[in-house]
Amino acid sequence: KSFVRLLNRANISFGVLGNEESCTGDPAKRAGNEFLFQMQALTNIKTLNSYNVKKIVTACPHCFNTIKNEYPGLGGSYEVVHHTQLLDELISIGKIKISNDSFKGKRITFHDPCYLGRHNNEYDAPRNVLQSVLKGGIIKEMEQSKSESFCCGAGGGNMWYEIKTGDRINQNRVGQAVDTNAKTIAAACNFCNIMLEDGVKTTGNEENIKVIDIAEMVSKSLG
């Protein structure tokens, strides 16, 4: 909803598929079900091509990676942009103006989504957007960030089954975030949002740090 509000504020013409939209197939593929992935992908490609879609913006790095890098081999070639990349562009050209001080001077930390950062080498766009809303505040990097960052714990199909052995990755990641003394974890992935929020709750850090998507931060910074 925040991202749609921002698109409307910037007078960007866009459409959504509504009930015709389904999962890209990323979770099925990562869990090893290539057959299901291709079924979902081919169905989506047929729908997208029927509307002559040329450019796709997604708020999910998993969708971003799958449509950008894996759909072309199945007949779906589009310009694919992650929402942080578009927000960075819209802010830089003045179509979105940060007009209040909701996050001015704040100390935040940013969790790099796997499929935006390490898999697609996009580290700058989200940080540029954050600097715009912080207005002189600090992005305090975690112990492991950018190319050294690691998964929130949901990737590879892990969102859908219980980890029975070892440590919970999301709890470890929240520990790194808390160690920065930031009060906010900025996220740019729906999976990361869920896993980090869960990690905050299960480690008893609800009073110490909050999780918020970058689009929500920008939306809260509008007049």
Side-chain angles (χ1 to χ4, degrees):
K1 288 180 179 179
S2 295
F3 184 53
V4 166
R5 181 186 181 213
L6 295 170
L7 291 178
N8 286 332
R9 178 64 68 94
N11 293 316
I12 300 296
S13 175
F14 67 96
V16 295
L17 291 176
N19 291 333
E20 291 184 89
E21 181 173 301
S22 71
C23 180
T24 61
D26 167 83
K29 185 177 182 70
R30 306 308 161 206
N33 195 334
E34 180 69 21
F35 177 70
L36 178 57
F37 161 70
Q38 292 202 18
M39 284 181 60
Q40 291 180 293
L42 290 170
T43 298
N44 289 332
I45 290 168
K46 181 179 180 180
T47 301
L48 291 166
N49 289 349
S50 73
Y51 288 108
N52 199 31
V53 168
K54 301 298 183 186
K55 183 174 183 176
I56 299 172
V57 182
T58 171
C60 173
H62 293 249
C63 300
F64 170 70
N65 179 71
T66 301
I67 300 172
K68 177 183 176 183
N69 297 322
E70 295 172 348
Y71 274 28
L74 297 170
S77 295
Y78 318 100
E79 180 186 355
V80 188
V81 179
H82 186 254
H83 77 319
T84 57
Q85 295 174 322
L86 183 59
L87 290 176
D88 183 24
E89 177 187 345
L90 294 175
I91 292 171
S92 68
I93 63 176
K95 283 201 167 186
I96 291 178
K97 298 183 186 299
I98 306 302
S99 51
N100 70 44
D101 296 336
S102 296
F103 295 95
K104 181 180 180 180
K106 301 292 185 183
R107 181 188 182 98
I108 65 101
T109 191
F110 177 64
H111 170 76
D112 287 283
C114 295
Y115 282 107
L116 185 63
R118 289 184 292 110
H119 287 274
N120 286 286
N121 297 309
E122 180 58 83
Y123 303 107
D124 294 337
R127 286 171 173 82
N128 292 342
V129 174
L130 289 172
Q131 290 291 4
S132 296
V133 301
L134 290 175
K135 293 183 175 181
I138 298 172
I139 300 175
K140 181 62 177 176
E141 299 290 355
M142 284 184 251
E143 178 185 346
Q144 292 172 272
S145 65
K146 297 185 178 180
S147 63
E148 300 298 320
S149 185
F150 63 90
C151 184
C152 67
N158 284 284
M159 175 68 81
W160 288 275
Y161 64 87
E162 186 71 18
I163 303 297
K164 300 293 186 182
T165 59
D167 296 332
R168 290 177 178 269
I169 296 174
N170 59 333
Q171 293 177 343
N172 291 343
R173 191 58 165 162
V174 167
Q176 288 191 357
V178 171
D179 287 344
T180 68
N181 293 318
K183 296 300 181 184
T184 301
I185 307 173
C189 169
N190 46 323
F191 289 128
C192 296
N193 272 310
I194 292 169
M195 296 300 289
L196 293 173
E197 286 178 355
D198 179 75
V200 168
K201 293 174 184 175
T202 56
T203 57
N205 279 297
E206 290 175 278
E207 299 303 317
N208 299 324
I209 201 162
K210 306 293 182 186
V211 182
I212 185 169
D213 187 86
I214 287 179
E216 293 178 279
M217 293 180 70
V218 177
S219 181
K220 290 177 184 293
S221 299
L222 299 180

